[in-house]
Amino acid sequence: MSERVGPGARLLVTGGAGFIGSELVRQLLARRDGTRVTVLDKLTYAGNRANLAAVEEDPEQADRFAFVRGDIADASLVEPLIAEADAVLNVAAETHVDRSILDPEAFLRTGVIGVHVLLEAVRREHERAGRGDRLPVRFLQVSTDEVYGDIEAPRRSVEADPLAPRSPYAAAKAAGELLVRAYGTTYGLDAVITRGSNTYGPHQHPEKLIPLFTTNALEGEPLPMYGDGMQVRDWLHVGDHASGIDFVLRHGESGEAYNIAGDHLLPNREVIGLLLAATGRDWSIVRTVPDRPGHDRRYAMDGSKLAALGWRPSVPFADGLPATVAWYRDHPDWIASAKSGDWDAYYARQYGDRLAAGRAVDGTA
Ligand code: NAD
Ligand code: DAU
């Protein structure tokens, strides 16, 4: 299959100061093939400019990199940036399910209105390309396995399955995807969608399971396990998630969605056991707390569509997890910065009553 976006391409990466976006930017620029990257990021509590230090401190990469602080829902900001791009990778989103349950609005603003604003700007460029005024622009929407909803064992979701989101976060992601699909069908935009599974690795905000439990364990704080801890997730290293997105950008067929599966299904209890071992703690610091409302029991995807094109994950969980714990142990300043701002208020709201009602867990059960 021919490459769609080759060396020297000008890429607009939204959400590039976040966890997956910053890894993607590091990978794209480290190829040193002339690719130019502009990051558009609102720098919400989840965005951190320091995540891009590696590229900003390398003169050759910094020369091919630009950072713009702003909102993807701001048309006047987005339009000139897309006019200069060969491809747009929309990584920006509000991403934490628990926050979407507390306050859904920001999820819809970025996940639906923001996507619509980006697509309108791409449509304008598509029309210019139709008049021969520029080359076509490709749009890649980063989505999630959560759009499939709760998947009963032993089933695995395939790309043609219906979308059945069950949290405000997942509903906003599904809505964003449907808009992308509609713009492809109606206006003929060149658009592709990726659906990644649960991602872990360095630079992930400590609101998510693995960094929260790692940093709490390092600090000797309790680990709040929702319910029985038997919910299943499919773990994908951030380096693999970013390389899967890049692969779909270059090889994906227009109009198609691609699962980026980690192919490593684990119940939360097993992940917690591994984190306790890696941080030198035991089950006495784990508390079972009241469950997340509407908590999906299991996500599982079939990754064979992308494998048939030639991409598979390459980082084994047995290597990636201890390396991730080591990264957090070595970056106390990064953790302190992520656990600043609204962190204490969020933590009290999300976990105050839960931890008060929490009970000890028998780790041998
Ligand atoms: P993150 O929360 O770490 O980063 C999100 C970034 O987007 C931040 O830098 C934030 O400042 C920026 N942002 C938010 N709203 C914005 C707006 N309106 N305009 C511009 N920038 C904005 O997220 P992540 O975990 O890196 O996830 C990135 C993408 O991958 C999201 O689309 C998410 O739905 C998807 N995804 C994540 C996972 C996962 O496990 N983390 C798995 C599958 C898919
Ligand atoms: O599946 C992909 C999705 O993975 C992404 O689209 C989301 O952006 C990302 O946040 C993640 O969603 P999850 O809800 O699966 O991830 P989280 O880390 O919040 O939780 C993982 C599991 O751990 C889930 O079953 C809930 C549980 N959990 C989580 C937290 C934060 C706990 O038991 N205790 C907690 O304190």
Side-chain angles (χ1 to χ4, degrees), residues 5-13 24-25 27-38 60-66 86-87 89 246 249-250:
V5 182
R10 299 164 306 164
L11 307 179
L12 178 66
V13 179
L24 179 62
V25 170
Q27 286 191 16
L28 290 166
L29 290 172
R31 274 212 303 265
R32 299 187 194 277
D33 63 355
T35 298
R36 308 189 75 82
V37 173
T38 298
E60 193 277 330
Q61 295 189 43
D63 212 37
R64 293 181 285 116
F65 173 74
D86 299 311
L89 294 88
D246 181 32
L249 174 73
R250 289 181 293 115

Side-chain angles (χ1 to χ4, degrees), residues 14-21 40-48 70-73 90-95 110 142-145 169 173 195-200 203-205 207-208 241:
T14 71
F19 166 49
I20 297 166
L40 171 61
D41 197 297
K42 190 175 171 182
L43 294 181
T44 67
Y45 76 93
N48 185 345
D71 192 331
I72 61 166
N90 183 31
V91 192
E94 292 289 337
T95 60
T110 296
V142 173
S143 191
T144 169
D145 60 0
Y169 162 71
K173 295 299 294 182
R195 297 182 184 138
S197 64
N198 271 71
T199 306
Y200 73 99
H203 301 104
Q204 185 172 31
H205 194 278
E207 65 194 357
K208 309 288 179 4
H241 194 156

Side-chain angles (χ1 to χ4, degrees), residues 193-325:
I193 293 167
T194 61
R195 297 182 184 138
S197 64
N198 271 71
T199 306
Y200 73 99
H203 301 104
Q204 185 172 31
H205 194 278
E207 65 194 357
K208 309 288 179 4
L209 176 75
I210 287 180
L212 179 71
F213 280 32
T214 301
T215 57
N216 278 13
L218 292 173
E219 292 160 14
E221 293 291 324
L223 310 188
M225 181 180 87
Y226 295 158
D228 63 3
M230 291 309 289
Q231 304 85 1
V232 171
R233 296 293 184 266
D234 176 9
W235 293 101
L236 171 69
H237 190 267
V238 66
D240 281 333
H241 194 156
S243 88
I245 292 169
D246 181 32
F247 187 90
V248 171
L249 174 73
R250 289 181 293 115
H251 301 284
E253 277 296 334
S254 190
E256 294 292 318
Y258 295 91
N259 291 344
I260 303 180
D263 205 15
H264 198 81
L265 301 182
L266 281 181
N268 292 340
R269 265 179 184 261
E270 275 191 47
V271 175
I272 295 166
L274 293 168
L275 289 175
L276 291 172
T279 52
R281 301 282 180 183
D282 62 37
W283 281 90
S284 65
I285 66 165
V286 183
R287 292 279 176 280
T288 169
V289 302
D291 209 345
R292 174 185 280 176
H295 196 169
D296 289 334
R297 285 297 277 184
R298 180 175 178 272
Y299 301 134
M301 291 193 295
D302 180 329
S304 53
K305 182 171 171 183
L306 204 47
L309 282 190
W311 185 91
R312 285 172 199 282
S314 67
V315 181
F317 196 66
D319 298 337
L321 191 70
T324 298
V325 171

Side-chain angles (χ1 to χ4, degrees), residues 42 71-73 104-115 172:
K42 190 175 171 182
D71 192 331
I72 61 166
E105 192 179 332
F107 289 75
L108 303 181
R109 199 174 293 283
T110 296
V112 184
I113 303 300
V115 172

Side-chain angles (χ1 to χ4, degrees), residues 72 74-75 77-83 88 115-128 134 137 139 183 189:
I72 61 166
D74 179 348
L77 185 62
V78 157
E79 282 168 12
L81 294 175
I82 294 187
V88 180
V115 172
H116 164 71
V117 168
L118 292 174
L119 287 169
E120 276 297 306
V122 173
R123 175 156 84 103
R124 215 174 69 154
E125 296 311 304
H126 180 71
E127 284 166 3
R128 285 183 58 214
R134 59 158 297 162
V137 56
F139 187 84
Y183 271 66
L189 302 194

